Amino acid sequence: MARRALPATTAVLTATAALLLTACGGSGGSASSDAIKGPGKGQGSPPAPASASASSGPERPEITITDSFRLTFENWTSSDRGEQAVLTDAREELRAGYAAIIENDPDSEAVAFYDTEGVLGQTKEWIKSYTDKNLTVIGKLPAFDPKVTLAPNGRGASLSYCTDETDAKTRNRKTGKVEGNPAGTNPYVRYSVSLTKNAQGVWQNSSLHGERGGCSR
């Protein structure tokens, strides 16, 4: 497994492509692509601002995802401020990656903002596994069951979470052809992420591993 997973038809074309990741979008009564569901909160609850991940530091990039792709984050909240900072920046890194696919922009500055140099190349290859084939992402991708562990020194953290790719699909920009996962593909993927807090106070992805079938609802 490499990075995030999208329909396995795409994964066959590149060893570094994984299935759809938690994503969101939507309009009307549906949850927006930025929605975060926490304890006691409905789908319509607005997301915490990206800048909430740190009381000071650089201005976080503004990331927009179209309504055709619903990337949702279920229970990505914590009463611990340190854990919440990790969750917020990790969420934005994921949103930045999908936004880059949708915008056909492998060199996204938002992705570079949330990735260390060591993992940035991997993320770009994952994005290009779609953009090089004229693919974008549509449908729904919930991310759920996040668990954060902070290092004692406060500069490192680990995060695991799951995604459900049941309703995640790709669409060819030229032909309009829509594809999902082949029948029999396990739609659940567990991700394990290492993060490092940089000098500006931003939690950046430093490594990521995905395991298909590693979780369920």
Side-chain angles (χ1 to χ4, degrees), residues 23-37:
C24 54
S27 59
S30 301
S32 74
S33 59
D34 298 329
I36 299 173
K37 293 189 288 183

Side-chain angles (χ1 to χ4, degrees), residues 24 31-38 41-52 63 71 73 76-77 84 88 91-92 95:
C24 54
S32 74
S33 59
D34 298 329
I36 299 173
K37 293 189 288 183
K41 296 181 180 179
Q43 285 190 335
S45 300
S51 60
I63 301 165
L71 179 59
F73 298 84
W76 281 56
T77 58
Q84 186 59 60
T88 299
R91 180 198 72 205
E92 292 304 291
R95 293 182 65 248

Side-chain angles (χ1 to χ4, degrees), residues 1-4 10-18 125-126 129 133:
M1 306 296 302
R3 206 156 157 78
R4 301 153 189 156
T10 301
V12 170
L13 300 175
T14 171
T16 59
E125 287 303 309
W126 169 66
S129 71
K133 300 172 182 64

Side-chain angles (χ1 to χ4, degrees), residues 105-180:
D105 181 17
D107 297 316
S108 164
E109 292 184 3
V111 170
F113 184 91
Y114 286 110
D115 277 357
T116 62
E117 290 186 7
V119 80
L120 181 57
Q122 176 189 346
T123 304
K124 285 186 176 182
E125 287 303 309
W126 169 66
I127 295 168
K128 285 170 64 66
S129 71
Y130 297 97
T131 60
D132 284 356
K133 300 172 182 64
N134 294 311
L135 298 176
T136 186
V137 292
I138 61 173
K140 298 186 292 184
L141 182 64
F144 61 96
D145 195 26
K147 293 180 174 62
V148 177
T149 301
L150 291 167
N153 64 7
R155 306 300 302 181
S158 62
L159 166 67
S160 67
Y161 64 90
C162 296
T163 61
D164 178 0
E165 302 168 341
T166 300
D167 297 315
K169 303 178 186 298
T170 61
R171 181 172 61 202
N172 190 288
R173 300 177 191 273
K174 291 185 176 181
T175 67
K177 184 178 180 180
V178 173
E179 292 187 278

Side-chain angles (χ1 to χ4, degrees), residues 2-6 17-19 21 93-94 97-98 126 191 205 208:
R3 206 156 157 78
R4 301 153 189 156
L6 252 191
L19 232 86
L21 194 145
E93 194 274 348
L94 184 55
Y98 281 110
W126 169 66
Y191 291 95
N205 278 18
L208 185 147

